[in-house]
């Protein structure tokens, strides 16, 4: 679940809205993504951001006015941290202690000037991606070679690996955070495909039934036609027999008439 700055204060408790209706919000234990961009920090702290977010995996604090990361809460499951466009100049040693499972760190647009300020990141064994765009340190000679040498666990620096190959979209995702959405999409696609298959099967079955019905009708029509032909043949045979019978009856009568005619002639 993703929350933004406006929702942070009310995600721990229920609250009463303007219509005096009690709204129960998501418990912090269920929050996995938290976007607090442009929220203003107070002495390096963001109100409401605490260690109670025990399952948080993605945290975005872009342009919140941070000058240090020392006041970040301990978030043992956090994997991706966005800190771009702040005023951080050092003090990165607390990250390994508070965010031990960090894999993606974006420090673009901060006040980092020297390679030495990055040395504490060596303790983040799982760190795969580091972004330092628009930091003064990127202007140093052999900047990329120096960072990769200092942090051998890195796969990508500013979006490119040591051989200047660009990171793929999948490499930029946090394991587990976007997977659920992908799985839901895949499940949705599978359900759609299953429905389409069912529709196709029903269509095929319907066509088969129509074909069978058509064949049965043709057979019935054929049988009826044969029966009618047989009946017509029987009628024709009866007519023929009747004609023959009439002829047989007439022949003796004709002979008698001929005999009478002969006698009269005599």
């Amino acid at each position: 679940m993703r929350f933004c700055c406006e929702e942070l204060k009310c995600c721990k408790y229920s609250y009463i809205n303007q219509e005096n209706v009690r709204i129960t919000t998501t418990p912090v234990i269920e929050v996995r993504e938290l976007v607090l961009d442009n929220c203003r920090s107070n002495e390096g702290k963001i109100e409401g951001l605490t260690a109670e977010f025990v399952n948080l995996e993605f945290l975005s604090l872009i342009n919140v006015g941070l000058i240090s990361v020392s006041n970040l809460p301990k978030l043992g499951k956090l994997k991706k941290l966005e800190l771009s466009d702040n005023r951080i100049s050092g003090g990165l040693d607390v990250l390994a202690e508070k965010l031990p499972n960090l894999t993606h760190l974006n420090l673009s647009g901060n006040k980092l000037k020297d390679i030495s300020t990055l040395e504490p990141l060596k303790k983040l064994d799982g760190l795969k991606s580091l972004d330092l765009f628009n930091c003064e340190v990127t202007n140093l000679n052999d900047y990329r070679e120096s960072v990769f040498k200092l942090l051998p666990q890195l796969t990508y620096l500013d979006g490119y690996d040591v051989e200047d190959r660009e990171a793929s979209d999948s490499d930029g995702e946090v394991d587990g955070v976007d997977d659920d959405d992908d799985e839901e999409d895949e499940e949705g696609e599978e359900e759609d495909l299953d429905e389409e298959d069912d529709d196709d099967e029903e269509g095929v079955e319907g066509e088969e039934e129509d074909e069978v019905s058509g064949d049965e009708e043709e057979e019935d029509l054929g049988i009826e036609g044969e029966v009618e032909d047989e009946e017509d043949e029987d009628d024709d045979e009866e007519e023929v027999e009747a004609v023959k019978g009439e002829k047989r009856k007439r022949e003796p009568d004709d002979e008698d008439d001929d005999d009478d005619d002969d006698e009269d002639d005599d």
Side-chain angles (χ1 to χ4, degrees):
M1 296 182 179
R2 182 188 291 267
F3 283 85
C4 62
C5 183
E6 291 75 11
E7 299 168 310
L8 180 60
K9 293 181 181 179
C10 58
C11 67
K12 288 175 58 180
Y13 314 103
S14 62
Y15 66 98
I16 305 297
N17 66 7
Q18 293 179 352
E19 288 76 26
N20 291 322
V21 176
R22 181 169 293 278
I23 306 297
T24 302
T25 57
T26 303
V28 293
I29 194 172
E30 296 182 14
V31 178
R32 299 177 65 192
E33 298 184 46
L34 194 58
V35 178
L36 304 177
D37 300 346
N38 303 311
C39 293
R40 305 315 298 173
S41 62
N42 182 16
E43 296 182 355
K45 293 182 180 180
I46 302 293
E47 185 179 357
L49 179 60
T50 69
E52 291 177 295
F53 290 87
V54 293
N55 289 313
L56 196 64
E57 296 182 7
F58 174 87
L59 175 61
S60 184
L61 297 172
I62 298 174
N63 190 31
V64 298
L66 285 179
I67 59 175
S68 171
V69 294
S70 60
N71 288 322
L72 289 178
K74 186 172 183 178
L75 301 169
K77 292 189 177 181
L78 194 71
K79 295 181 179 180
K80 186 171 184 177
L81 179 60
E82 295 278 349
L83 292 173
S84 58
D85 299 327
N86 285 288
R87 294 177 290 163
I88 300 167
S89 59
L92 302 180
D93 51 300
V94 299
L95 293 179
E97 177 187 349
K98 296 186 175 183
L99 313 173
N101 291 308
L102 203 62
T103 60
H104 295 69
L105 177 60
N106 190 341
L107 289 166
S108 301
N110 279 279
K111 304 298 181 180
L112 301 171
K113 299 179 180 181
D114 302 316
I115 296 291
S116 59
T117 59
L118 305 175
E119 190 165 352
L121 301 181
K122 292 169 63 175
K123 297 178 181 179
L124 290 170
D125 296 333
L127 190 64
K128 297 190 300 182
S129 177
L130 176 64
D131 288 312
L132 297 170
F133 287 116
N134 296 324
C135 292
E136 290 185 37
V137 68
T138 61
N139 296 324
L140 298 175
N141 292 331
D142 300 325
Y143 151 70
R144 290 183 58 81
E145 292 81 355
S146 299
V147 174
F148 275 118
K149 184 177 180 179
L150 178 66
L151 305 173
Q153 76 272 34
L154 275 187
T155 303
Y156 298 104
L157 176 61
D158 301 331
Y160 291 84
D161 66 12
V162 68
E163 297 180 358
D164 287 332
R165 291 176 297 194
E166 188 173 4
S168 63
D169 292 338
S170 59
D171 291 325
E173 294 176 355
V174 180
D175 296 337
V177 174
D178 295 316
D179 289 346
D180 291 342
D181 295 336
D182 293 340
E183 288 176 2
E184 290 176 0
D185 294 339
E186 289 176 1
E187 288 175 0
E189 290 176 359
E190 289 177 358
E191 290 176 359
D192 293 339
L193 290 173
D194 291 339
E195 290 177 359
E196 290 178 1
D197 292 339
D198 293 339
D199 293 339
D200 292 340
E201 290 177 0
E202 290 177 358
V204 171
E205 290 176 358
E207 291 176 0
E208 291 178 352
E209 289 176 358
D210 293 340
E211 290 178 359
V212 171
S213 299
D215 294 340
E216 290 177 352
E217 289 178 0
E218 289 178 0
E219 290 178 359
D220 293 340
L221 292 173
I223 292 171
E224 291 177 359
E226 291 176 0
V227 171
E228 290 177 357
D229 291 340
E230 290 177 357
E231 290 177 354
D232 292 339
E233 290 177 359
D234 292 339
D235 292 340
D236 292 340
E237 290 178 358
E238 289 177 359
E239 290 177 0
V240 170
E241 293 294 332
V243 170
K244 289 181 179 179
E246 289 179 0
K247 286 183 178 180
R248 292 192 190 100
K249 289 179 181 179
R250 288 176 183 174
E251 287 176 356
D253 294 338
D254 292 341
E255 289 177 359
D256 293 338
D257 292 340
D258 293 339
D259 293 339
D260 292 338
D261 294 337
D262 293 337
E263 290 176 0
D264 290 336
D265 292 338
D266 293 337

